[in-house]
Amino acid sequence: MFKRGAVKTPAVLERTHEQEQLSGQLIIQAAGIHKTYETGKVTVQALRGVDLRIRRGEMVAIMGPSGCGKTTLLNVLSGLDDITQGEVIIEGAPLHKMSDKARTRFRAEKMGFVFQAFNLLPVLSAVENVELPLLVAAVNPGVARRRAQEALALVGLADQTAKRPAEMSGGQQQRVTIARALVNIPAIVWADEPTGNLDSETSASVMDLLGRLNNEQGQTFVIVTHDPAVAQRADRIVRMRDGLIESDAPNHVAK
Amino acid sequence: MEKLFGVPIDRLMLSLLVVFAVGVAVMAVVAWRNQVVFKMAVRNIPRRRAQTILIVLGLMLATLLFSASFATGDTLTHSMRVEAVKHFGLVDVIVQGETRDVGNRLPSFDQTYAGRVQEALAGDSQVAGVAPLLQERAPVLAPGTRLSEPWVDILGYAPQSMAGFDRLLDVTGKEMALDALAPGKAYLSAELTEELDVHRGDTVQVFLGPQPTPLEVIGVYVKGASPAGERSLVVSLPYLQTVTGAQGAVNAVIISNRGGTLEGVRHTNAVVSALGPLLEGSGLKAEPVKQKALDRADREGGTFATVFLLFAQFSIAAGILLIFLIFVMLAAERKRELGIARAVGMQRGHVVRMFAFEGATYSLIAAGVGSLLGVVVGWGMVRIMAAAFSQWDFHLTFAFNWRSVVIAYTLGMVLTFAVVLSSSWRVSRLNIVRAIRDIPEPSTSRKSLKGVIFLGLLVAGGALLTVWGVQEEQLGLYLLGASLIIIGLPMLARRFGLRDRIAYTVAGVGLVAWWMAPESWHDAAFPFLPEEMKAGIEMFFLSGIMLVIGGVWTVIYNADLLLNALVFVFGRLRGLPPVLRTAVAYPMQYRFRTGMTLAMVSLVMFTLIVMAFIIQSISGVFADVDRIAGGFDIRANTSYTNPVPDLRVALTGAGGLRPDDYTAIGGITAVPVKVKQMGIEGEPVDLMVSGVDTGYTDAVGYKFAMMAPGYTSPRQVWQALQDEPGTAIVPTWMVPTKTNFNVGDAGPALRLEGFWREDKVLPEELYLEVQDPRTGRTKRLRVIGAVEDMAFYVGSITTSQSTVHGLLERAVPPQSYMLRLTDGVDAETAAKALKAAFLENGLQAQVIATEVRRDTSASLMINNLLMGFMGLGLVVGIAALGVIAARSVVERRQQIGVLRALGFQKGMVQFSFLLESSFVALLGIGIGVGLGFGISPQVINSFKESFEAITYQVPWGVVLFISGVAYAASLLTTFLPARQAASVYPAEALRFTE
Ligand SMILES: Nc1ncnc2c1ncn2[C@@H]1O[C@H](COP(=O)(O)OP(=O)(O)OP(=O)(O)O)[C@@H](O)[C@H]1O
Ligand SMILES: [Mg+2]
């Protein structure tokens, strides 16, 4: 059901076709990224010239000590935040030159997010949370509901669709978030410490899920994590320190 | 104002101050003993300045409404006092005849009484002056300018006795010598000379009888003639006595107490009782005129303030809900903080105290701001009222009494604080774990025994109240008691597993149906009900609150159905579904907030709509001028000093008039009498009895609300008035009704007893005993009709002219006339011609249509003002929406970040917020309008029972206007928070934890 072409909406079909063409190419190109936070008196240099290239379908783990700039990097790559200097090109489009409006549309069409704090809307049920990105993409509400239910089934929550976040466990909530991140088949999924709040067992099952989706659908995953066990499942591990990339190596242990 | 709710204002202020002081003292002691908690509480206030301002503004609204109501009352009191003081000057007490003559003229008595009064009061240090006075009211004409003034107070002063009274002052402030008032000379008031366009040295004519008395104007005073109105003139007493043929007679002895105009009043009682022995049995009385006028001013001011409060009560109720809401929101915001504090060992009591301290501080500030701002609002309202009152020749000058401000402050403070305390208690009951994890509190635990017992008692109490209401024939008690059952039973069932939606819907729909059901339904459903139950003004408030509770419950527990329908309808529009989804999910989840806001908005909207219906339907009454006028076109009054004995005859002789223009001329003789209903205990009441001639009864078109048995048509009753001596008709205000919506005391008046208006037919035997106070002669009058409400020009008991003559044992000419014009004759022209032709008689002619229109426009102004005042309550509902929206932006920052990450454009976030408050605002407006439309037919019907001419009309324009304004205002207040929400920066917001 998450296989390419399974969706009949023209906009989505168009995109999968485009993805096919670009397959094997670079999806993320970042060069010389600087990010400076101005907070009153102090200026924090969170990123100090980061270069990063990620290929389509790769699963990349970003690691590093607290405060080294991982979240910041994720935010600027995904267009949630502006950069001070440098350039970010996603699928050939220069993100750093886009208006807020264009970037937002870009996000809606091409990206999915999984955050540490689960970031579900507490007033919506699981299925309503999941279908939200589809509604934003103007998918027919009936179709959206069906696809959201399928996505929840995929993450093993077929029987929890009507529950509100407050009525679910941390692991369940995180799986809802993943379903939401994947429901509109984004090209890139950004995950900031997706297992940060979970015990090792649950964490492992969430990672299994991510790995499986990556395998089956060939989406690109960028995962920030402190957990070596999580990082071990990635194709590639990027290590950061003080706003710079310290090392960037393929992970031979993977899978 | 000196009295409010019937309690002297000083005592009210004192008791409130005591409550206030005790409260503050208790808080101070508690604060001193819990200094840490106190500091924690107070620290919150400057921390978030914008929020503090918002809270203070929210809390002050109830106080503002108190204060503004009081300011209107104070203004009226002040203005009436000014008028009283202007009229009476230094005169405090007047010795005058116990009764009045025809035309309301004071009877005369021997001048030597003045000397005797002086003797009786000699050596009384409280008296500053005693003087004989002859006063008349007569038309004055200036032959030079042909201008005239029909009502001028003519004062005959005894120059040597006027020490201790006001001195006549000219425009330069110089005293004018009374000795200069030789026979034929007069001082005129500045207003009178302006009116007549005369100056020093000119001559004016006074019509103290059929022949004019020429007077030379030898001076103009700007103040000092009392007791008198603005248009007055002063001559010497002996001269006035000569001219009126009343040698050695006066009709008043005026007494001035020691002390200024207002201070002197204090001695009034002493002076009056000192004169008791002298006046015993003399047919004279010592009338405390100024005291009475001041008392009346105070009473009317109090009534006025009460009316405004009455209309403000819904807004005040909404204001209380707002205070509650604000504190619960404040608590929600601090939930996590409080949860952690509780976790580390803060006692529940500490939490209550902390909130109480903080709330007390806000209340202190808010009540201060509210009471002062209320004075400003009051000032604005007075400006509008002043314009309305100027139509009735009454000058309103703004005034406020610092004691009212203190009362508004303490009342507002005590009320606010009471609400704050109860909400603090609610807050303290939060569950620690849920608070820290920010999980919403579940709705009340279902099967707690306490809850079940409470609900059981509620139902039982309701049943008792219902039975009691039926026994006492009190509609309010009966409806309220049953309402408790209607609420209690579904709530009990809910405790035993009935779903919330069903329980609240049953209770809500039940309440609405119960309070909207017409009387006929209640009578049919419950045959044991008494035929007519008593209902008072409290029904207004009670039904409003109950309907709104019912409406809000029903809507809020079924809104999701409405929503699904909305989503279904608008779901196809591009871009709308995700926005709609979020916009609606929040208010549905936060039921408490939404419910409170809905209640506030709908409560105020409901009252505004009902008010609009009432105004519209009543104003329809005034459109039918012909019916109000009873078929007449002009009403004319003449001076009692020089009446027109027979207008029809006089018309023929007068120049410039064509008798053919007048198709009917009715004469009315009004005489003062003492009246009581026969067979009923009680003191007789001073009233006027009108005797009408055949010219009147043949032409009048008024119908009757009630007729005596045997009379089948209005014509028959009017004819009987002439044909059967000793019959009378009464105006409807004398007839008792079971529904009584009167506010305040209307003063002494005659209320008949032993039957109800609702009976439709008068009792066979209904007699009045009228007494001529001059002679003591009594006469029995049989009441054969109660004239319809539309008969505005039947103000008192009416009988035939010959019956009145019989009572007085002499013929008295009519003082007023009702005239009907031939078709095509212009009423204004005719009225002018009449005035000109009968200048000497002081004839005043009023075109009835003009008069009705003027009164209508003035009362419309007052009605609109009242509506505007009620509309202030909308501010409350709108403020609630604003507060919630502002709070939501903070609360949902992170969620907004998520939405933005998911692809919500800025505009979508903003739209979602606006949609959210629109949803609540429109629901609130909808409930209010719906309930208003639902209940209005009944309200209008109940008015119809006591005022049959009222017709049901839908005020479409006003409804649309009010709804539009309310909605626009709600959008405006949420616009800023929505903008803020849209500009939330996703990367920051996602990091944000509260
Ligand atoms: N809005 C901000 N204003 C100022 N400084 C910021 C802001 N956001 C982040 N920083 C600083 O930028 C640096 C990088 O922060 P970032 O959140 O990217 O770290 P991180 O690697 O994700 O750390 P962690 O593993 O703890 O999540 C830190 O020093 C942080 O203090
Ligand atoms: Mg981080």
Side-chain angles (χ1 to χ4, degrees), chain A residues 37-39 44-47 64-73 116 192-193 224 226, chain B residues 988 991:
Chain A
Y37 291 113
E38 310 273 358
T39 50
V44 181
Q45 291 222 318
L47 298 177
S66 184
C68 69
K70 304 182 295 293
T71 298
T72 306
L73 181 63
Q116 169 181 4
D192 194 353
E193 301 187 31
V224 170
H226 283 290
Chain B
E988 305 251 324
R991 287 177 189 269

Side-chain angles (χ1 to χ4, degrees), chain B residues 663-683:
Chain B
T663 50
I665 299 175
I668 303 168
T669 310
V671 295
V673 289
K674 288 191 176 301
V675 190
K676 70 189 280 290
Q677 184 182 353
M678 286 178 82
I680 304 287
E681 288 303 305
E683 283 298 297

Side-chain angles (χ1 to χ4, degrees), chain A residues 12-234:
Chain A
V12 179
L13 275 176
E14 211 174 325
R15 192 171 67 228
T16 42
H17 177 67
E18 190 186 358
Q19 280 171 346
E20 216 106 40
Q21 275 194 330
L22 288 167
S23 124
Q25 295 172 10
L26 289 177
I27 188 165
I28 301 168
Q29 286 173 276
I33 308 176
H34 286 261
K35 175 72 190 176
T36 315
Y37 291 113
E38 310 273 358
T39 50
K41 289 159 229 153
V42 273
T43 316
V44 181
Q45 291 222 318
L47 298 177
R48 302 194 291 181
V50 173
D51 300 313
L52 187 65
R53 291 157 168 248
I54 296 174
R55 277 197 309 282
R56 185 169 298 278
E58 246 187 329
M59 187 181 241
V60 180
I62 299 179
M63 297 193 76
S66 184
C68 69
K70 304 182 295 293
T71 298
T72 306
L73 181 63
L74 212 64
N75 282 348
V76 298
L77 289 181
S78 63
L80 283 175
D81 209 345
D82 290 316
I83 53 174
T84 317
Q85 195 187 319
E87 56 176 30
V88 179
I89 293 165
I90 309 272
E91 288 205 321
L95 207 61
H96 59 286
K97 286 184 186 159
M98 284 187 202
S99 68
D100 177 76
K101 199 163 184 155
R103 260 191 292 176
T104 307
R105 200 177 315 123
F106 201 75
R107 274 202 302 275
E109 285 168 8
K110 305 210 185 290
M111 297 178 186
F113 290 86
V114 182
F115 301 101
Q116 169 181 4
F118 315 114
N119 283 315
L120 293 169
L121 298 197
V123 292
L124 298 184
S125 67
V127 68
E128 286 170 339
N129 263 291
V130 174
E131 72 186 355
L132 208 51
L134 294 174
L135 294 180
V136 172
V139 173
N140 173 305
V143 176
R145 175 58 54 104
R146 211 191 61 234
R147 278 175 60 186
Q149 265 155 354
E150 288 168 357
L152 280 169
L154 193 72
V155 298
L157 290 176
D159 52 345
Q160 312 269 336
T161 54
K163 277 194 176 172
R164 293 249 158 78
E167 299 159 343
M168 292 194 268
S169 77
Q172 288 169 334
Q173 288 185 50
Q174 195 61 308
R175 278 189 276 164
V176 175
T177 316
I178 291 168
R180 186 181 67 189
L182 297 170
V183 72
N184 58 342
I185 319 181
I188 310 170
V189 176
W190 309 99
D192 194 353
E193 301 187 31
T195 59
N197 278 344
L198 306 176
D199 64 82
S200 55
E201 211 166 308
T202 320
S203 158
S205 77
V206 165
M207 282 317 293
D208 282 344
L209 179 64
L210 288 183
R212 202 176 81 231
L213 293 171
N214 174 250
N215 270 342
E216 285 174 4
Q217 309 193 32
Q219 280 154 317
T220 312
F221 279 77
V222 181
I223 303 169
V224 170
T225 184
H226 283 290
D227 186 351
V230 171
Q232 285 318 311
R233 293 168 179 262

